[in-house]
Amino acid sequence: MRKPLSDRVFDVVNGALLTLLGASMVYPFLYVIAISLNEASDSSQGGTWILPRKLTFESYKIIFVNNDLVSAALVSVARTVLGTVLVVLCSAMFAYVFTKQKYFLYKPMKLIFFVAMFLGGGGLIPVYMLFRSLGLLNTFWVYIIPWMLNLWYVVLFRTYFMRLPREIEEAAFVDGASELTAFFKVILPLSKPIAATITLFAAVAQWNSWRDTLFFTASPSLRTLQYVMMEILQRAEAERMITRAEMLDVALGHLKLVDPMSVRMAITVVTTLPIVLVYPFLQKHFIKGILVGSMKG
Amino acid sequence: MNIASSTNHAVRPVKRRTLWKTMYQQRCLMLMSIPFLIWIFIFEFGPMFGWLMAFVQYDPNKGILGSQWAGLRYFKMFFQDPDIWLILRNTVMISFLYILSSNVFPLILALMISEVGDGYFKRALQTVTYLPHFVSFVVVANIFLTLFGMRGPVNELLRGLGWTDRPVLFWQDKNIFWYMVTFVRSWKEIGWGAIIYLAAIASVDQEMYEAAKIDGCGRFRAMWHITIPSILPTITLLWVLNMAGIFNAGFDASYLLGNAMTREASQVIDTYVYELGISMGMYSFSTAVNLLQTAVGFAFVFITNTIARKLTDYSLW
């Protein structure tokens, strides 16, 4: 059946608008890549829009030998790996206990959980003072311990666990397994899809985090990649009025040859790359994840 | 006396023994939950206790309870600060523009996407529009400060088209800062925001569209008379939830995109609290500001919810 003319016009206009929107989502990333790969002096003349005109890996070489950046990358990787593993394990374990209605602490636990979920936490300053009194300020653990448990992930895990057939777990108990064994040997292996989703969410959150570095740490050895990038960005913005040669010094210490913009863009690419790499896996799962979340109420 | 005490003894130990027995039997569950309960007490309830700091003249050496009571002094101070009206104005305007755009644009996008047939184009479109949500704001700020920078491609384009002969200072103009921030945040979250609307649209009964088509109903009219009313509960719900953020303009955007020249338009409660509290050590005062912000957020959810219930019959509670 042929569609009426008005419908076809609608489809064409709609498709064109959506294509334009899609392009506006992709273009900024293409531009960043192009600048990071283009020769710095050439970029400053303008005209580099999509493809690098004079290809060079100079900016990448510079960032990979910069000690500050390498150490920041290591901190980022460390907090991402440790923080993610812990939050996934802890949230899953706590969620598992929430499936045991016979547990004698079940009811008080549930009450505490809901109060925490709706009223818990606090503003920046109360949190800051708490971390200070716990001695977490200016330590690596400020990236890990306060985010060790995520109440939201607990809800997602529990929803999933409740749908698993009871019999499999019962069989383990008959064999004399404790709850701890049942959790690690039976429940967790059966929950790979939800565990994968939450792992990816948690890893992205850890990797992207920069405010905690700003608020709770002062030591240069605790700086993360995102934070270093933020610093370079802020300095580059603040020093815009200074001559370009001086700006180089400001942006990355002693670099004289490369325009800071291409270095900045190279750091942007390096920081974003891990996200883009896990994105296909993430996308497969997250839609389900947030829909379960939105139905929670 | 003797008898009484002996019966007492006879009953009590049994009860206690059952509790001990249960505890022993469930020791594994205790091991798996009590550390997390302690964590909740420290990290979720601990900061709640910290709100008290707003009512005392906080002295870090004496602790909250040891410090001198200040009553509402810091709240009064807040309203006497001459900067405060500027900060409140910026906060409300930035968050209002964002609430508006984060409810409207994703809805329009979802309506547009749902008109496209399933296939390669639709999947590709969803993939690219969700991606910015997962990129940190630092990266996004970095990109947009460059794109709209003095030498960025946007200015090059404008000059190439002959629309301007001097570069447009997008990020140095305090008159357009709110709109620039809203634009960047909308770009980042539009695709993500559309997911929930898309799911709601997908669950609308398809037979209604068939019936409408037979009755000669065009696509815009179908959208207006079928899709929108069907997903009204979702729209209302998201609107109410977003209202909580009316006093929360977001730290990231103002801190990363603002600069000395746009300060008059970019300073919001979150950056104010950070500057006074952490950089300058005015703990009690910034906690009071923070507390006001949170309380107003709760109040706004309550008010919008009441209005939504009166107007549409749909509400959060």
Side-chain angles (χ1 to χ4, degrees):
Chain A
M1 195 177 88
R2 222 173 121 85
K3 282 182 175 177
L5 181 69
S6 66
D7 260 20
R8 272 179 292 153
V9 171
F10 180 95
D11 281 336
V12 169
V13 172
N14 191 29
L17 286 175
L18 286 172
T19 309
L20 207 62
L21 183 85
S24 81
M25 292 284 156
V26 178
Y27 176 68
F29 293 107
L30 291 180
Y31 177 74
V32 168
I33 295 169
I35 295 292
S36 77
L37 287 171
N38 202 31
E39 202 175 76
S41 56
D42 184 63
S43 302
S44 62
Q45 287 163 12
T48 314
W49 285 11
I50 293 178
L51 288 172
R53 205 163 31 199
K54 288 183 178 169
L55 189 73
T56 170
F57 292 97
E58 206 49 45
S59 315
Y60 289 91
K61 278 185 202 150
I62 284 171
I63 63 174
F64 281 115
V65 296
N66 183 291
N67 284 334
D68 287 349
L69 282 168
V70 172
S71 103
L74 288 177
V75 175
S76 280
V77 170
R79 69 172 288 178
T80 303
V81 172
L82 194 62
T84 305
V85 169
L86 262 177
V87 77
V88 171
L89 268 185
C90 293
S91 305
M93 193 183 272
F94 198 40
Y96 173 72
V97 183
F98 266 109
T99 63
K100 299 276 167 274
Q101 275 146 18
K102 279 184 192 153
Y103 179 35
F104 78 107
L105 285 179
Y106 182 80
K107 275 185 185 155
M109 207 167 80
K110 205 168 167 181
L111 181 72
I112 291 168
F113 187 86
F114 279 108
V115 174
M117 193 129 186
F118 290 106
L119 297 171
L124 173 61
I125 306 303
V127 168
Y128 178 84
M129 297 316 288
L130 176 74
F131 290 177
R132 203 170 87 148
S133 56
L134 292 170
L136 281 172
L137 288 189
N138 222 4
T139 66
F140 177 72
W141 300 107
V142 80
Y143 296 147
I144 309 293
I145 295 172
W147 325 111
M148 216 175 75
L149 191 69
N150 182 313
L151 304 184
W152 190 236
Y153 298 162
V154 173
V155 174
L156 291 180
F157 266 121
R158 181 178 185 264
T159 314
Y160 194 89
F161 293 161
M162 293 299 268
R163 284 200 301 244
L164 293 176
R166 272 288 143 89
E167 295 77 22
I168 309 174
E169 200 193 357
E170 295 299 330
F173 289 139
V174 170
D175 291 344
S178 68
E179 280 93 352
L180 202 62
T181 323
F183 170 69
F184 278 111
K185 293 266 165 73
V186 182
I187 300 295
L188 219 46
L190 282 175
S191 310
K192 274 179 201 145
I194 188 76
T197 311
I198 292 176
T199 302
L200 287 167
F201 268 117
V204 169
Q206 277 282 2
W207 180 260
N208 281 344
S209 182
W210 63 279
R211 267 172 297 174
D212 46 11
T213 313
L214 177 70
F215 295 157
F216 307 126
T217 73
S219 150
S221 63
L222 290 173
R223 287 190 298 193
T224 59
L225 211 47
Q226 300 281 352
Y227 183 79
V228 170
M229 195 164 83
M230 188 278 289
E231 270 190 334
I232 293 173
L233 175 66
Q234 292 237 312
R235 276 188 229 147
E237 285 298 305
E239 312 288 334
R240 204 205 288 281
M241 301 308 159
I242 302 178
T243 63
R244 298 188 78 75
E246 278 172 309
M247 201 163 134
L248 290 169
D249 281 335
V250 176
L252 263 184
H254 29 269
L255 313 169
K256 295 262 189 253
L257 287 169
V258 178
D259 182 288
M261 187 159 96
S262 52
V263 175
R264 216 169 78 197
M265 292 302 134
I267 300 174
T268 308
V269 171
V270 171
T271 316
T272 316
L273 200 64
I275 303 284
V276 176
L277 291 181
V278 299
Y279 183 63
F281 302 98
L282 196 60
Q283 204 200 358
K284 221 171 83 187
H285 296 293
F286 67 61
I287 298 189
K288 246 182 263 164
I290 75 158
L291 292 181
V292 169
S294 64
M295 276 175 234
K296 168 220 133 210
Chain B
M1 188 68 199
N2 238 344
I3 300 162
S5 68
S6 69
T7 42
N8 242 342
H9 273 263
V11 177
R12 268 236 188 103
V14 173
K15 249 192 185 166
R16 204 177 295 154
R17 205 178 296 143
T18 16
L19 181 63
W20 281 117
K21 213 173 150 191
T22 324
M23 281 172 77
Y24 180 75
Q25 278 169 349
Q26 300 184 336
R27 64 193 185 280
C28 223
L29 288 173
M30 284 166 72
L31 183 76
M32 292 167 84
S33 61
I34 290 176
F36 302 126
L37 289 173
I38 296 172
W39 184 94
I40 287 182
F41 273 99
I42 297 173
F43 289 100
E44 296 288 342
F45 297 158
M48 283 163 76
F49 175 67
W51 285 126
L52 283 176
M53 222 158 34
F55 302 97
V56 298
Q57 192 181 338
Y58 184 68
D59 180 343
N61 299 320
K62 291 181 190 158
I64 292 174
L65 296 178
S67 298
Q68 205 190 340
W69 183 253
L72 297 176
R73 191 200 309 162
Y74 294 107
F75 295 90
K76 282 180 195 146
M77 233 169 95
F78 175 73
F79 289 106
Q80 281 157 5
D81 185 337
D83 282 349
I84 205 59
W85 301 110
L86 208 65
I87 291 165
L88 284 179
R89 184 200 65 178
N90 294 340
T91 309
V92 171
M93 279 312 291
I94 291 175
S95 52
F96 172 72
L97 286 172
Y98 182 63
I99 289 173
L100 198 67
S101 68
S102 68
N103 278 295
V104 174
F105 295 144
L107 176 61
I108 294 174
L109 177 64
L111 288 172
M112 285 170 76
I113 290 180
S114 66
E115 291 295 326
V116 177
D118 287 319
Y120 181 73
F121 179 67
K122 190 173 182 172
R123 271 205 309 276
L125 195 68
Q126 285 175 296
T127 303
V128 297
T129 49
Y130 300 159
L131 180 62
H133 173 79
F134 295 99
V135 174
S136 81
F137 209 96
V138 180
V139 168
V140 172
N142 208 344
I143 294 174
F144 277 88
L145 285 172
T146 314
L147 277 179
F148 287 86
M150 262 189 293
R151 293 161 160 274
V154 173
N155 260 318
E156 262 184 69
L157 181 72
L158 290 178
R159 225 172 320 152
L161 291 171
W163 290 359
T164 56
D165 37 358
R166 217 180 300 165
V168 182
L169 301 175
F170 289 102
W171 294 115
Q172 277 77 32
D173 186 348
K174 60 177 192 285
N175 296 317
I176 58 168
F177 182 79
W178 296 340
Y179 308 101
M180 291 300 288
V181 166
T182 309
F183 169 71
V184 172
R185 291 171 80 187
S186 304
W187 178 84
K188 192 174 185 304
E189 302 297 338
I190 184 172
W192 186 252
I195 294 180
I196 289 183
Y197 287 122
L198 275 173
I201 293 171
S203 64
V204 177
D205 189 356
Q206 290 303 310
E207 274 176 34
M208 283 203 278
Y209 293 106
E210 299 299 326
K213 212 180 230 173
I214 292 165
D215 289 347
C217 188
R219 282 160 90 167
F220 278 111
R221 283 179 63 194
M223 239 185 241
W224 185 250
H225 291 290
I226 301 173
T227 317
I228 301 271
S230 307
I231 64 172
L232 202 57
T234 311
I235 299 176
T236 315
L237 180 82
L238 292 179
W239 196 274
V240 173
L241 285 176
N242 284 336
M243 281 317 274
I246 191 75
F247 257 38
N248 196 339
F251 180 83
D252 295 19
S254 288
Y255 188 80
L256 294 170
L257 298 172
N259 55 42
M261 270 170 272
T262 51
R263 198 178 155 80
E264 215 177 288
S266 71
Q267 215 191 10
V268 294
I269 295 178
D270 292 85
T271 51
Y272 183 69
V273 167
Y274 163 71
E275 277 170 22
L276 294 180
I278 293 182
S279 308
M280 290 161 71
M282 294 168 70
Y283 301 124
S284 289
F285 179 60
S286 47
T287 307
V289 179
N290 223 183
L291 183 57
L292 273 180
Q293 180 188 19
T294 311
V296 172
F298 267 110
F300 262 90
V301 174
F302 194 76
I303 293 166
T304 13
N305 191 56
T306 313
I307 296 172
R309 195 172 43 203
K310 290 246 164 75
L311 292 183
T312 66
D313 290 338
Y314 301 117
S315 63
L316 204 54
W317 62 80

